[in-house]
Amino acid sequence: MEKKKKILKIFLVLFLFTASFLFIQTIFAQELGINAVGEEITLPGEDPRIIAARIIRAALGFLGIIALIIVLYGGFAWMTSAGNEERIAKAKKILTNGLIGLIIIVFSFGITQFVLNKLIEVTGVLGPGIPGGPSVVEQLSSSLGNGIIESHWPARGATGVSRNTKIIVTFRESVTRESIITNYNDNGTPDNLADDWGGLNSENVKIYKSIDGEINALADNQVKVMFTSDLKTFVFDPDDLLGSPSENIWYTVALKPGIRKSDGSDAFVGAFRGGYLWDFEVSTFVDTTPPQVESVWPNEGDTVARNALIQINFDEAMDPTTVTGEWPTFFDKIEVKKADGSPISGRWSIANQYKTVEFITNDKCGTNSCGGDVFCLPGDERIDVLILAATLSESPPEALWPYDGVTDAAGNSLDGNKDGTAQGSDLDEISGVDNFGLSFSTNNTIDLAPPEIENVSPSPNTSGAAFNVPVEMFFSKIMSIGSFNSENIILEDNQRDECAVWFYLGGINLKEDGTPVDSPDDVAAKTKAAIYHGNFIPTGGTCADGNLVSPETVMYYPRVTHGVKDVYQNCFFEPEGPGGGKKCIVGPDGNLPPGCEPWK
């Protein structure tokens, strides 16, 4: 009896060891976002390294199952040997062979895992890039900043993403609605795009668990799609929560070459013709934190020149369809009125990874130093701004659909009074429970003083710059963060397009002491712009087409154009003449254009 108990214990230990190996293998693969082999392997648009990872993982899993069967069989043979020494010896041999095979599989898995980890670290195929000398441009990534993609949410390689997040994509130019949406529903208001929606065009937009592969992407009827009236920003809202309540899961979004611009031409062209793809990791939690207003400009009670724009900065990404549009024609969730209650017409637009919205009126009142139009608020007036919180659903802080107020990228209503909870909006009261109000005044002047760049990092002609540290520019005035886009701030290089690294723009207002403005009570003095980018490639690195970079030294040239403006709509440098200007940047030859002074 004691002998049988001993045998049973040995058997259980081997069984648990084998089972744990299979479990650990699954967990590691899940954390890396490595795809399992599905019914078929789709090569177009998929990284060959991911396909190889699928095959290796499937092979290791299959071998692990065989090892488990061998262990089970050996244990069964030993338990049923009835004391027969010959049968016991045979069972021991089976268990020994099974154990040797299992050890080989474990070591093989460890070696494979190490190689794949290093490959992913170097290439940045899945998850964020890391420092240490990356050598490969991420495939299907360069359209962000360089091509048709302006920004998206969640960010590339983001981790800790909530299960109830929406997926947002902004294009540099308007695209055809049919490229993104099927079964379009205008809700009976064909002239109003603010509340229109449809299903997903799953031929051109693929959303799927990275581990499952593109073949298992969400179907047309599993995602609701909204969009902004300029047909540049699209919001994808899956019907079911993403991910799992028990484990982190990587997701992939692939934008396909079938997407067309509004003029009918291809959105993805040239070196970027393969489309765009990115990954992010969905955590196990549901976002129940309502958004708050982080800072504003002008501040409460300020008196400003009448060509001021209005800037609202939130503490997290917002749903663009709830914070942008033509007020008061088709958009009514953020009001701008004179003291007598009459509306001031203009447009709210979004930027800064969906955290900043800005309002510019329709009243043209002058020209800035670059020859660009300047628009004004009414002079010598009190201006009232009211951000409406959305009505709550039965599961607060989630807002009731269709939204009648602003929400974040998870659909949570605004926490306007910053008490940590969403209480909705009492639309009968100007100071509704969670509405956010702001009042300031204008004088009758127009501010046309241009801003300057005070400092940049890395400084011009720096060698050995860090691979993944953002490029930063510090302006002398408070800037329109909405003007920080890939048309106005550009990350150029001395390589061909296939070597371009992805980038997107962000910005933050700073106080006089250089610390961030993080409260509506803080007074902003200047603004920092940042270029967030993929890992720079060193000399000897490989481009997206698989070829080496061409010159001996890889150089990058951040370029700021006169399209960058301050909060009074002034461009940042004085031009040579109306409508034109000097590009005061270090060129490929290492020199500044004639007449330009170097940055101090």
Side-chain angles (χ1 to χ4, degrees), residues 317-351:
M318 304 296 287
D319 181 338
T321 64
T322 71
V323 292
T324 65
E326 290 284 344
W327 157 262
T329 313
F330 295 125
F331 175 73
D332 58 3
K333 298 175 180 62
I334 308 180
E335 301 176 352
V336 184
K337 297 180 178 179
K338 296 192 291 187
D340 63 6
S342 57
I344 301 171
S345 298
R347 178 173 181 83
W348 287 98
S349 57
I350 194 165

Side-chain angles (χ1 to χ4, degrees), residues 65-351:
I65 292 171
I66 293 176
L68 178 60
I69 293 172
I70 291 172
V71 170
L72 289 172
Y73 176 69
F76 177 77
W78 196 344
M79 292 289 293
T80 58
S81 63
N84 186 306
E85 292 300 327
E86 184 178 345
R87 293 172 65 184
I88 290 174
K90 184 178 179 181
K92 285 182 178 179
K93 186 176 180 181
I94 293 172
L95 281 172
T96 301
N97 291 337
L99 184 58
I100 291 171
L102 186 58
I103 291 172
I104 292 172
I105 293 169
V106 170
F107 275 103
S108 299
F109 176 77
I111 294 169
T112 304
Q113 199 69 50
F114 175 79
V115 172
L116 289 174
N117 279 341
K118 290 302 178 183
L119 179 64
I120 289 169
E121 286 177 3
V122 168
T123 64
V125 172
L126 296 172
I130 65 166
S135 60
V136 179
V137 172
E138 301 166 58
Q139 291 193 353
L140 300 181
S141 69
S142 299
S143 283
L144 178 58
N146 303 286
I148 191 68
I149 308 299
E150 179 65 40
S151 59
H152 57 71
W153 177 265
R156 292 187 65 85
T159 58
V161 178
S162 68
R163 298 188 61 204
N164 55 334
T165 189
K166 297 172 185 176
I167 298 166
I168 308 169
V169 178
T170 298
F171 297 90
R172 289 178 67 173
E173 301 179 50
S174 61
V175 300
T176 60
R177 190 171 55 212
E178 295 74 21
S179 289
I180 309 293
I181 297 176
T182 60
N183 302 318
Y184 174 67
N185 180 1
D186 65 10
N187 289 329
T189 56
D191 294 328
N192 180 9
L193 301 180
D195 62 354
D196 298 346
W197 61 276
L200 177 72
N201 183 335
S202 58
E203 291 297 315
N204 290 334
V205 181
K206 306 282 187 180
I207 303 171
Y208 55 92
K209 292 180 181 179
S210 304
I211 196 170
D212 288 343
E214 191 176 289
I215 192 173
N216 293 306
L218 296 178
D220 299 7
N221 60 358
Q222 292 179 297
V223 182
K224 179 168 58 185
V225 186
M226 288 82 68
F227 54 95
T228 55
S229 58
D230 57 8
L231 291 174
K232 291 183 179 180
T233 299
F234 293 81
V235 179
F236 306 97
D237 187 5
D239 291 338
D240 298 325
L241 294 176
L242 299 176
S244 160
S246 59
E247 59 181 338
N248 297 340
I249 295 179
W250 281 90
Y251 273 77
T252 299
V253 180
L255 305 178
K256 295 297 185 177
I259 296 175
R260 300 281 185 269
K261 294 192 288 189
S262 290
D263 62 6
S265 62
D266 292 339
F268 297 101
V269 296
F272 317 127
R273 61 187 176 277
Y276 180 74
L277 177 148
W278 87 94
D279 301 275
F280 58 90
E281 185 188 49
V282 175
S283 68
T284 59
F285 78 94
V286 173
D287 180 1
T288 58
T289 302
Q292 298 179 350
V293 174
E294 186 171 71
S295 66
V296 298
W297 194 88
N299 288 79
E300 178 71 29
D302 280 356
T303 298
V304 296
R306 60 189 298 254
N307 59 320
L309 55 78
I310 301 170
Q311 183 183 97
I312 310 291
N313 296 294
F314 295 93
D315 65 347
E316 59 176 301
M318 304 296 287
D319 181 338
T321 64
T322 71
V323 292
T324 65
E326 290 284 344
W327 157 262
T329 313
F330 295 125
F331 175 73
D332 58 3
K333 298 175 180 62
I334 308 180
E335 301 176 352
V336 184
K337 297 180 178 179
K338 296 192 291 187
D340 63 6
S342 57
I344 301 171
S345 298
R347 178 173 181 83
W348 287 98
S349 57
I350 194 165

Side-chain angles (χ1 to χ4, degrees), residues 53-69:
R54 290 180 183 174
I55 296 171
I56 292 170
R57 182 193 169 201
L60 288 172
F62 180 69
L63 291 174
I65 292 171
I66 293 176
L68 178 60
I69 293 172

